Amino acid sequence: MNTAGGVGVGAGLRTVVLISGGGTNLQAIINQVGSGELHINLQAVVSDRPEILGLERAAKANIPTRIVDYSKFDRRADAEQALSATLHRLQPELLILAGFMRILPASLVSEYYGRMLNIHPSLLPKFRGLDTYRRAIQAKETWHGSTVHYVTPELDAGPSIIQYKVRIYPDETELSLSTRVQQGEYIIYPRAIGWIADRRLQLKHGEVWLDGLPLAEPVVINES
Ligand code: GRF
């Protein structure tokens, strides 16, 4: 932890986290940076709306925040332009989407190809898009979970890196399932980011490489 008592300044990969809400994944990342387990420089947290808990979490950890309030723009393209400009000023080496509820323009996605991660609450390629917990329960799936993946222009379709897998029990509710899956997100997201920070993980020609070998399947962590 730095002398200011936060984690916002430090050595390591310049990393920007994009959020839209509560920021519990952001908090898990902050905690691991603070404890010295994750070696990144949390340069800034960028939000698409003001007054969200995630921004408070960042401020408390002394991480600079930026708000690109999409609701203040008449045209989505103008908001996207403002977001791009904000990111260009920050010059991050790694972009982390942590509950960022906007689809990014293709130009931004290609600019950060291989340097942008997302976490999606399903065992991709199953259940892309929204309401994944409800859909998984309704489909009578046996397993559900969450996936960290590289971001590519197609929504929730980029190459998967690591998954957290939980069983769906017969009496499962959306709340019980999401609570268990989110506990796993706080394990797998910092882990994937750590692999990038330690130069162990790369995206090469559409393939995920970990420790010098291509991954045929994402790494799977089972709920214990
Ligand atoms: C996470 O559960 C993630 O799977 C999804 O959005 C949620 C964000 O939650 N992409 P939080 O803001 O990190 O609490």
Side-chain angles (χ1 to χ4, degrees):
M1 201 176 269
N2 68 24
T3 49
V7 297
V9 183
L13 213 57
R14 286 196 313 276
T15 303
V16 168
V17 183
L18 269 62
I19 59 168
S20 298
T24 60
N25 277 281
L26 168 66
Q27 189 65 57
I29 296 164
I30 290 173
N31 292 349
Q32 288 216 2
V33 174
S35 67
E37 287 160 273
L38 186 54
H39 309 120
I40 54 170
N41 169 10
L42 279 172
Q43 199 190 0
V45 169
V46 179
S47 156
D48 66 336
R49 66 197 64 186
E51 292 165 18
I52 55 170
L53 182 56
L55 287 170
E56 284 176 36
R57 294 179 192 275
K60 209 168 163 191
N62 287 340
I63 302 165
T65 55
R66 305 277 187 279
I67 300 166
V68 179
D69 188 348
Y70 271 52
S71 70
K72 294 273 187 285
F73 294 86
D74 289 335
R75 297 182 330 146
R76 186 173 120 185
D78 292 339
E80 291 173 345
Q81 185 57 43
L83 179 66
S84 294
T86 300
L87 294 175
H88 284 155
R89 282 193 292 273
L90 291 165
Q91 292 277 309
E93 294 166 287
L94 181 63
L95 261 188
I96 301 296
L97 308 184
F100 188 68
M101 299 304 286
R102 305 278 175 182
I103 295 172
L104 292 170
S107 56
L108 204 62
V109 174
S110 1
E111 194 179 332
Y112 288 94
Y113 180 83
R115 299 187 293 139
M116 191 184 333
L117 300 185
N118 183 39
I119 189 158
H120 178 76
S122 80
L123 296 172
L124 289 173
K126 285 189 171 178
F127 304 112
R128 290 158 59 181
L130 297 172
D131 287 330
T132 59
Y133 298 108
R134 183 180 50 76
R135 286 159 59 205
I137 292 169
Q138 278 178 358
K140 303 207 182 309
E141 293 283 333
T142 311
W143 300 98
H144 194 56
S146 192
T147 305
V148 177
H149 65 94
Y150 281 104
V151 177
T152 54
E154 204 183 339
L155 187 69
D156 302 328
S160 293
I161 301 164
I162 183 167
Q163 296 185 318
Y164 185 75
K165 197 170 165 187
V166 309
R167 183 174 281 281
I168 301 183
Y169 295 112
D171 57 350
E172 200 77 61
T173 64
E174 279 183 58
L175 181 63
S176 64
L177 185 57
S178 63
T179 303
R180 285 162 51 228
V181 168
Q182 278 163 359
Q183 289 306 314
E185 292 191 325
Y186 311 146
I187 299 168
I188 60 171
Y189 217 178
R191 189 164 304 178
I193 295 166
W195 287 338
I196 293 182
D198 297 341
R199 316 275 171 199
R200 294 175 56 192
L201 181 74
Q202 291 98 22
L203 180 63
K204 291 195 256 187
H205 312 295
E207 264 188 333
V208 178
W209 286 65
L210 179 63
D211 293 333
L213 293 172
L215 279 187
E217 302 284 338
V219 175
V220 175
I221 307 284
N222 287 294
E223 183 182 33
S224 50

